[in-house]
Structure formats: structure tokens, C-alpha cells
Amino acid sequence: MNATGTRTGEALLAAAGYAFPHHQDCDFRLDRTGNNEWQIMVLSPRACEWVRKELCTPFGQCLSNGFKVDILSADQFLKQAHALGFRTEFVGGSGRDLF
């Protein structure tokens, strides 16, 4: 089955009981987990290296593959990441978008 990246394609896959395809070329995934809580997942080895280097050593070394933040922190973090050429998959109520 071919993976489709459109919202219509994702809706059809969801209706048929298939999982949403994830973008393979993303460095981060942003997903809402609570009322004022967002999760940033680190997907690529390059992004993982940057996060560990960017964050202070004790905190950066304890990160597995993601962390939870508020929306302002997520916005600030992802703006800095995008300025360096990293790509983000945003998971929203109406589908997935790639930035």
C-alpha cells in the first residue's frame, strides 16, 4: 500500500482502520498531549545530536526521544530548529502537516 501524505488520504486510511503514515524525512514531531501540554519527539539522529548539544549536558543526556513543553516553549524551540534547517511534522486535529 502506498503511503499518502494528504489529509484526505489520511482520513481514508483512518476510516479503513489503518494507522497514519509518518513522514520519513522529519526531524521532529509536535503533538498535543494535554490542555496546555505539547510533546516534541526527536525523530532523526541529526536532530538528536543537536538537542543534546543545545540543551545543557545533564538535561540533554537524560532525554530519550522526546520531551513535553508548553506551547510557547514549543514555538521558540521549533523556530530555532527551523532556522537551522530541521523539519517538523505537526499532528493536529485535522491531520498532519510538514513544516
Side-chain angles (χ1 to χ4, degrees):
M1 174 182 221
N2 291 338
T4 180
T6 65
R7 290 183 178 191
T8 303
E10 288 177 3
L12 292 172
L13 286 173
Y18 291 99
F20 292 127
H22 294 290
H23 296 286
Q24 298 297 323
D25 58 347
C26 291
D27 299 298
F28 299 101
R29 181 179 305 123
L30 178 64
D31 193 2
R32 187 174 186 171
T33 60
N35 192 21
N36 190 27
E37 188 173 76
W38 294 77
Q39 183 168 9
I40 298 174
M41 298 296 297
V42 182
L43 304 176
S44 72
R46 184 178 90 115
C48 185
E49 184 66 31
W50 177 72
V51 167
R52 289 178 190 229
K53 185 174 77 172
E54 190 66 25
L55 298 175
C56 63
T57 304
F59 182 67
Q61 297 302 320
C62 71
L63 291 175
S64 57
N65 63 343
F67 48 97
K68 292 185 179 182
V69 295
D70 63 12
I71 190 61
L72 294 176
S73 299
D75 182 55
Q76 181 180 17
F77 176 84
L78 293 174
K79 280 182 181 178
Q80 187 177 6
H82 291 167
L84 295 171
F86 291 104
R87 298 188 68 178
T88 302
E89 177 184 32
F90 170 72
V91 181
S94 59
R96 298 175 187 271
D97 292 306
L98 186 62
F99 296 98

